[in-house]
Amino acid sequence: MKDVNSVHSLEEIQTTINESKLTLLYISRPDCSVCRGLLPQVKELLYEFPSVVSIHVDADEIPEIAGEYSIFTVPVVLVFVEGKEMIRKARFVPIGELRKQLEKVAEFMQ
């Protein structure tokens, strides 16, 4: 599985998003069983997209992330293209659908 970098502040998140062409932000909570089940699938999917920079945030560690990104439930997958949010998936994330959307975005970026 591809490694997903854990970040620990809103500043780290913003810096990563602003410095990367393609960023996948995965937001979860430790007590969320859906989050724990989805993370390995997202990591596996990211192998197909080496150009995507991936970061993982614990919403309990950074509670202000909910307001910053309008998060109402976890898990949340946000994909940013050159700093702008292009894809948002929350709660139940269909991996096949996420793959198709990432393929379109990655293809557009080449």
Side-chain angles (χ1 to χ4, degrees):
M1 276 185 264
K2 186 173 178 183
D3 214 22
V4 177
N5 298 319
S6 289
V7 292
H8 306 283
S9 71
L10 283 177
E11 293 77 26
E12 278 183 276
I13 296 166
Q14 285 298 337
T15 299
T16 303
I17 290 169
N18 292 332
E19 291 179 354
S20 309
K21 278 189 170 193
L22 284 169
T23 309
L24 183 142
L25 172 59
Y26 186 83
I27 304 167
S28 67
R29 286 202 157 93
D31 60 350
C32 168
S33 61
V34 175
C35 301
R36 284 193 305 275
L38 181 62
L39 185 58
Q41 295 176 56
V42 170
K43 287 180 177 181
E44 196 67 36
L45 175 64
L46 288 168
Y47 268 119
E48 299 173 35
F49 303 95
S51 62
V52 176
V53 174
S54 55
I55 51 179
H56 177 216
V57 176
D58 175 350
D60 287 348
E61 185 180 337
I62 310 174
E64 60 272 23
I65 196 165
E68 184 72 20
Y69 293 102
S70 301
I71 305 302
F72 300 103
T73 186
V74 290
V76 177
V77 174
L78 302 176
V79 178
F80 296 85
V81 177
E82 295 180 343
K84 293 180 177 51
E85 183 184 320
M86 297 298 280
I87 300 171
R88 175 180 287 251
K89 300 283 181 202
R91 194 68 187 134
F92 298 105
V93 179
I95 289 293
E97 191 177 303
L98 180 59
R99 176 182 287 111
K100 285 179 185 170
Q101 289 180 313
L102 280 172
E103 283 170 357
K104 286 180 185 175
V105 170
E107 186 179 309
F108 177 74
M109 294 304 292
Q110 291 181 353

